[in-house]
Amino acid sequence: AQTVTQSQPEMSVQEAETVTLSCTYDTSESNYYLFWYKQPPSRQMILVIRQEAYKQQNATENRFSVNFQKAAKSFSLKISDSQLGDTAMYFCAFTSNSGYALNFGKGTSLLVTP
Amino acid sequence: GAGVSQSPSNKVTEKGKDVELRCDPISGHTALYWYRQRLGQGLEFLIYFQGNSAPDKSGLPSDRFSAERTGESVSTLTIQRTQQEDSAVYLCASSLVQGYRGETQYFGPGTRLLVL
């Protein structure tokens, strides 16, 4: 079974600071894909960043970057220069090369304070 | 439209009634997914449609749940004889084509279902 674990139910950070959200996963497959999605109060799931497991280089998207440690099965999200609009639930998700459904963690609620 | 749309946005129903939820995917997207999000939880996969292929219904929690999709257009998720445990947000997603794995899925805003 493939599981995704987010060990931080809630986090807070001050505006302009940096925060890191943790995610670990379990799989026996060698090729797979990892995602971070953001869900603001509007409920709309928005893709933040995507990582392909066979790529060693960590994905980045503007203020968002990941630290992908394949051997440790860890996929953390770093948000730099946090903004009030980053307040949301953040979900880590996994899909293998043999499937298509996303497996989600339970999420981390991030609050950015002024 | 520009994104995935879902209707209704919110639905309140009484236990035992049937409900129908609608999803309109991004134009041109051949793959469509339904997920369920219970309060405080991540998303659970329900069903997957790819073009005219037989859907993958492996995530449907009971035979009270069914879904249809005609071609590459609108999909409806039907829950018969609703139970209080069915209360959740139901999210639909679409992707361009399942030509490769790990394709990005684009989500709609969801339907919040409350069963009284």
Side-chain angles (χ1 to χ4, degrees), chain A residues 33 35 37 39 41-47 50 52 89 91 95-107, chain B residues 9-10 33 35 37 40-43 45 48 56 89 91 98 100-112:
Chain A
Y33 305 85
F35 305 81
Y37 277 89
Q39 187 180 42
S42 67
R43 296 200 308 250
Q44 183 88 46
M45 294 283 282
I46 303 164
L47 178 68
R50 175 181 180 272
E52 300 175 14
M89 283 291 291
F91 291 95
T95 187
S96 71
N97 203 41
S98 60
Y100 37 75
L102 290 169
N103 292 293
F104 284 85
K106 291 187 176 182
Chain B
S9 178
N10 295 283
Y33 316 76
Y35 293 86
Q37 184 179 24
Q41 302 294 314
L43 280 67
F45 166 74
Y48 162 71
D56 177 354
V89 175
L91 289 151
Q98 197 56 50
Y100 67 95
R101 304 297 184 181
E103 189 174 55
T104 296
Q105 297 178 24
Y106 297 88
F107 284 82
T111 294
R112 183 182 300 278

